[in-house]
């Protein structure tokens, strides 16, 4: 049940980031909510399995930059989820540049934190 709630929150956060960050837009033949749902699914899967390894590998850089490099890891995860959802399923979000991915990942992280805190209450 928690995975489904995380998936919903991630999809909502991606939708908000898509509408607020220039350079991120829905892509594919399906309706926009389907695009957000697929990217949210891929992002949740990668956050569960791939991100812990990337975090451990990038730990020295994260320590040197006092945690700011973790934003780059989050940007990479969003880019990876977008890339695979578009190339495997044909629907997802199109990210124009790393700057768009960076701003989008910050917005997704903030929105997810807010939604998670609301759900805990």
């Amino acid at each position: 049940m928690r995975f489904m709630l995380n998936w919903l929150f991630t999809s909502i956060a991606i939708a908000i980031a898509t509408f607020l960050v220039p350079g991120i837009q829905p892509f594919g033949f399906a309706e926009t909510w389907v695009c957000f749902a697929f990217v949210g699914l891929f992002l949740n899967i990668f956050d569960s399995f791939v991100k812990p390894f990337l975090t451990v590998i990038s730990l020295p850089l994260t320590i040197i930059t006092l945690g700011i490099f973790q934003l780059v890891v989050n940007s990479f995860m969003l880019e990876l989820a977008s890339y695979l959802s578009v190339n495997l399923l044909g629907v997802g979000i199109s990210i124009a540049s790393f700057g768009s991915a960076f701003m989008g990942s910050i917005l997704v992280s903030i929105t997810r934190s807010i939604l998670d805190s609301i759900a805990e209450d």
Side-chain angles (χ1 to χ4, degrees):
M1 183 65 181
R2 185 69 188 163
F3 179 79
M4 297 295 285
L5 192 61
N6 283 339
W7 182 14
L8 176 67
F9 288 166
T10 303
S11 299
I12 291 170
I14 290 170
I16 291 171
T18 300
F19 291 117
L20 293 179
V21 176
I24 301 177
Q25 50 188 295
F27 177 84
F29 58 87
E31 294 184 31
T32 56
W33 68 269
V34 175
C35 299
F36 302 142
F38 281 131
V39 176
L41 176 65
F42 275 100
L43 190 59
N44 265 346
I45 291 170
F46 293 143
D47 279 349
S48 298
F49 297 111
V50 177
K51 189 176 179 182
F53 294 117
L54 287 177
T55 302
V56 169
I57 290 170
S58 66
L59 192 60
L61 281 173
T62 304
I63 291 171
I64 290 171
T65 61
L66 301 175
I68 294 177
F69 189 75
Q70 195 64 33
L71 295 173
V72 174
V73 172
N74 288 344
S75 302
F76 176 71
M77 297 303 294
L78 184 62
E79 286 264 8
L80 183 63
S82 168
Y83 176 79
L84 288 178
S85 69
V86 167
N87 288 324
L88 291 178
L89 304 174
V91 295
I93 59 172
S94 171
I95 301 176
S97 66
F98 178 75
S100 297
F102 189 76
M103 293 304 297
S105 68
I106 290 172
L107 198 56
V108 167
S109 297
I110 291 170
T111 307
R112 278 291 315 268
S113 297
I114 292 170
L115 292 173
D116 285 339
S117 68
I118 290 171
E120 287 178 1
D121 294 340

